[in-house]
Amino acid sequence: MTIKRYLAAWAGCTALLVLLVVTVNLWIDPHDLLGRERVQGLNLAKPRVMSYTKAYQVAPAKPVTLILGNSRAEVGLNPLDPVWSADAQPVYNLALPGRAIVPTGIYLRHAIQALVDQGGPGPKQIIWGLDFIDFLIDPAIPQTAHVAGDDGSYFIASLLQGQQRPAQWRARMRDIAKSSLSLSTGLDSLQTVFQQRDPFVATLTPMGFNPMRDYQRLANEEGYGQLFTHKDAMHMDAYFRRHRDVVDRKGRSALAFDQVRKIQRDCRDSGISVRLLLYPYHAHFLESIRLTGHWPAFERWKRQLISMVEEGPGPAVELFDFSVYDEFTTEPIPIAGDRKSVVRWYW
């Protein structure tokens, strides 16, 4: 009898603990999959968002404008900046850090379909930042389609596999259940609450923007010069390791161009205007491209994009090239060890 009472008490405590964890997870929503209201001092900042959080954020945001690209777009284009015109709002930042072009297309198609399913008109325009390094290929190796990872999300996996709506709905429920019921999410909830008072806590806003507060801490502690020294070394190493062309030996373009062309064509068919932008790389970065022998490919990349923009009728497709030497990209960088000087335009 004593053992039975012990087991019953243990089961009761376990059930109570599970109920408590689930309640906290649903309340705090640390991964921002449920769209719970954010409360100052409780869960306003979201330091534990998942890599696929944006797939859940985008439809409730009901964007007129979508921002696409990689981390440069995610931290550089703020949907709440006053520069956006009234007819361009709401703006949602759907940029995906560290991801190539294929997942960008998958997320975009999901966003368009989700907005239509809600009875809305869908986005009217996209602003898409393109990164040179995503187009570099080995000219001697035949290309194969890049397969995007699912980031641990059942829902993203269902999109990658081309599953139909019922399967996608079930996958979303599995994501939400995994996020709500797990003890690890309970720890994420606690971390979310405890970090609210940290002015440099990493977060993702409800409109998909990353304010890079954690980098502000690094800039304050190490100085902007040290950040640039570290990034310059990373860029040089990355480009020395990468191939030096955007076409193969038979003159065939990188598959990334085909992906951009497909998204451009899909947007035209849907009446969505497209504005492509080439990032305003700092002169340090431009010099990395030149010193590693990639400048001819850099210019060929731009010419290929210009040819793509000129293809076919439909809504406006424009290309803006900010990857030049000008007053912004040549902004002086403090020397290493200088922790007081501040860089205005760059991290």
Side-chain angles (χ1 to χ4, degrees):
M1 181 65 68
T2 302
I3 295 177
K4 289 183 178 179
R5 288 179 177 177
Y6 172 79
L7 292 176
W10 180 83
C13 290
T14 300
L16 184 62
L17 176 62
V18 170
L19 179 61
L20 178 62
V21 169
V22 171
T23 301
V24 171
N25 290 344
L26 293 175
W27 188 25
I28 302 301
D29 189 17
H31 304 153
D32 208 22
L33 302 189
L34 303 175
R36 297 281 295 177
E37 179 183 0
R38 299 193 185 198
V39 179
Q40 180 74 40
L42 182 67
N43 64 345
L44 181 62
K46 297 282 188 176
R48 303 301 295 171
V49 293
M50 309 300 288
S51 57
Y52 53 86
T53 289
K54 292 187 177 186
Y56 287 83
Q57 283 187 340
V58 62
K62 299 180 179 179
V64 171
T65 300
L66 285 171
I67 297 168
L68 307 179
N70 56 14
S71 59
R72 299 180 191 277
E74 186 187 55
V75 307
L77 297 174
N78 186 352
L80 299 183
D81 194 290
V83 73
W84 297 102
S85 61
D87 60 353
Q89 300 179 44
V91 180
Y92 183 81
N93 194 319
L94 194 58
L96 305 173
R99 304 302 299 273
I101 293 174
V102 171
T104 294
I106 293 171
Y107 273 68
L108 176 60
R109 286 190 288 273
H110 156 64
I112 294 173
Q113 186 60 58
L115 291 169
V116 171
D117 289 346
Q118 287 185 346
K124 294 181 180 179
Q125 69 170 339
I126 64 172
I127 312 294
W128 188 1
L130 300 178
D131 210 343
F132 172 55
I133 200 168
D134 291 332
F135 293 76
L136 290 173
I137 61 172
D138 184 348
I141 300 178
Q143 296 184 74
T144 56
H146 171 78
V147 178
D150 59 20
D151 297 326
S153 164
Y154 295 110
F155 177 55
I156 298 301
S158 73
L159 295 178
L160 292 170
Q161 297 165 12
Q163 296 179 0
Q164 300 302 310
R165 303 285 178 78
Q168 291 180 16
W169 183 85
R170 290 192 296 270
R172 289 173 68 100
M173 293 302 100
R174 292 180 70 185
D175 273 351
I176 292 172
K178 181 177 68 172
S179 175
S180 303
L181 301 177
S182 71
L183 181 59
S184 62
T185 303
L187 298 176
D188 289 344
S189 294
L190 293 177
Q191 183 174 347
T192 297
V193 174
F194 291 147
Q195 288 190 295
Q196 292 301 305
R197 294 185 179 182
D198 183 354
F200 303 115
V201 62
T203 189
L204 189 74
T205 73
M207 303 308 286
F209 177 62
N210 181 356
M212 291 292 281
R213 295 173 184 168
D214 45 337
Y215 259 52
Q216 187 62 63
R217 186 200 303 274
L218 289 174
N220 292 347
E221 294 177 351
E222 301 180 13
Y224 282 89
Q226 187 63 36
L227 290 182
F228 260 78
T229 298
H230 176 67
K231 296 295 284 187
D232 287 346
M234 288 180 57
H235 292 153
M236 291 291 289
D237 181 67
Y239 274 99
F240 271 125
R241 292 172 181 269
R242 296 301 288 260
H243 301 293
R244 299 187 180 181
D245 215 334
V246 295
V247 296
D248 64 18
R249 290 176 177 174
K250 295 184 178 181
R252 293 172 298 197
S253 301
L255 287 178
F257 287 105
D258 294 334
Q259 296 296 329
V260 174
R261 185 179 288 106
K262 183 179 187 306
I263 294 174
Q264 177 179 300
R265 185 171 58 248
D266 290 345
C267 287
R268 277 176 163 153
D269 293 343
S270 301
I272 302 171
S273 65
V274 180
R275 289 175 176 168
L276 306 175
L277 68 89
L278 309 187
Y279 295 116
Y281 300 126
H282 191 273
H284 283 210
F285 188 82
L286 292 173
E287 286 300 290
S288 297
I289 294 174
R290 184 182 65 83
L291 292 172
T292 55
H294 286 85
W295 199 265
F298 189 53
E299 294 185 340
R300 189 175 298 113
W301 173 61
K302 293 186 181 185
R303 289 194 294 270
Q304 291 268 59
L305 291 174
I306 291 171
S307 297
M308 287 176 50
V309 167
E310 295 174 344
E311 294 176 0
V317 178
E318 300 174 282
L319 175 65
F320 296 85
D321 182 8
F322 298 104
S323 60
V324 296
Y325 293 88
D326 60 21
E327 61 180 304
F328 301 105
T329 61
T330 57
E331 179 179 15
I333 304 304
I335 62 173
D338 181 353
R339 295 182 176 84
K340 295 182 178 180
S341 299
V342 175
V343 176
R344 181 178 183 185
W345 301 114
Y346 293 89
W347 288 113

